[in-house]
Amino acid sequence: MPQTITPEEAADRLAIRDLIDAYAHCADRRDAAGQMALFTEDTAFHVFMDSKAPEPTYALHGREALAPVFADLNQYRATTHFNGQSTIRLEGNSATGESYCIAHHLTVDGEKRTLMVASIRYLDQFVKQDGAWLFAERKLMVDWTDTRASAP
């Protein structure tokens, strides 16, 4: 039997997907302020450079703590975060989800070009505040990376 989705649930799912996509868009446009605005004031952001590690490589707490992480993207000439499948479980004004991303990071040093590709999964906790969905917690899980020479 097909699952029935209410218009409200459909709207929430679309808003959460827009939030996930806005994060990638802000990252690629180097809009750190816009990216930070997607998180709650008391957010938690955990980065696992090895997704199999039991503890994060680093953990940040609070929206303002995110600024240096997002500014770190400025080291790259360009990035492209391509979002793939996602799952979202709604529970009123909160939700959890997992989304996949293939992130491309281009470095140019003189004539040398390097492309690092990362397979990332985000494990998210979302909250709806004042009618808008935000990240309450985001775990960035790096499953693998591939770094290679790049030609223009």
Side-chain angles (χ1 to χ4, degrees):
M1 184 162 134
Q3 180 183 6
T4 302
I5 298 176
T6 66
E8 293 79 14
E9 182 180 349
D12 284 338
R13 289 181 176 281
L14 181 58
I16 290 171
R17 183 57 195 218
D18 284 349
L19 176 68
I20 292 167
D21 290 343
Y23 176 91
H25 177 80
C26 287
D28 292 338
R29 300 286 70 85
R30 303 300 182 270
D31 180 2
Q35 206 170 9
M36 290 168 58
L38 303 173
F39 290 81
T40 61
E41 286 287 340
D42 63 346
T43 195
F45 188 82
H46 300 190
V47 176
F48 291 77
M49 293 307 291
D50 175 358
S51 64
K52 293 179 178 56
E55 297 296 323
T57 307
Y58 58 90
L60 303 169
H61 298 280
R63 182 186 290 162
E64 294 307 313
L66 303 177
V69 173
F70 298 154
D72 191 51
L73 289 173
N74 290 319
Q75 70 180 295
Y76 301 106
R77 171 69 57 92
T79 59
T80 300
H81 291 74
F82 188 79
N83 290 326
Q85 71 270 26
S86 61
T87 58
I88 297 165
R89 288 164 298 290
L90 289 167
E91 295 180 20
N93 286 332
S94 64
T96 58
E98 179 179 31
S99 59
Y100 283 67
C101 177
I102 298 293
H104 300 74
H105 302 76
L106 178 66
T107 302
V108 178
D109 184 11
E111 296 294 314
K112 182 180 176 185
R113 292 169 49 106
T114 306
L115 180 64
M116 188 272 284
V117 179
S119 174
I120 297 171
R121 286 177 300 115
Y122 294 103
L123 306 177
D124 295 312
Q125 292 182 21
F126 308 99
V127 65
K128 192 174 189 179
Q129 292 182 345
D130 300 321
W133 285 97
L134 299 170
F135 294 107
E137 178 182 278
R138 182 153 247 216
K139 292 181 181 176
L140 187 160
M141 313 296 287
V142 179
D143 286 329
W144 57 262
T145 63
D146 180 21
T147 303
R148 60 185 98 148
S150 174

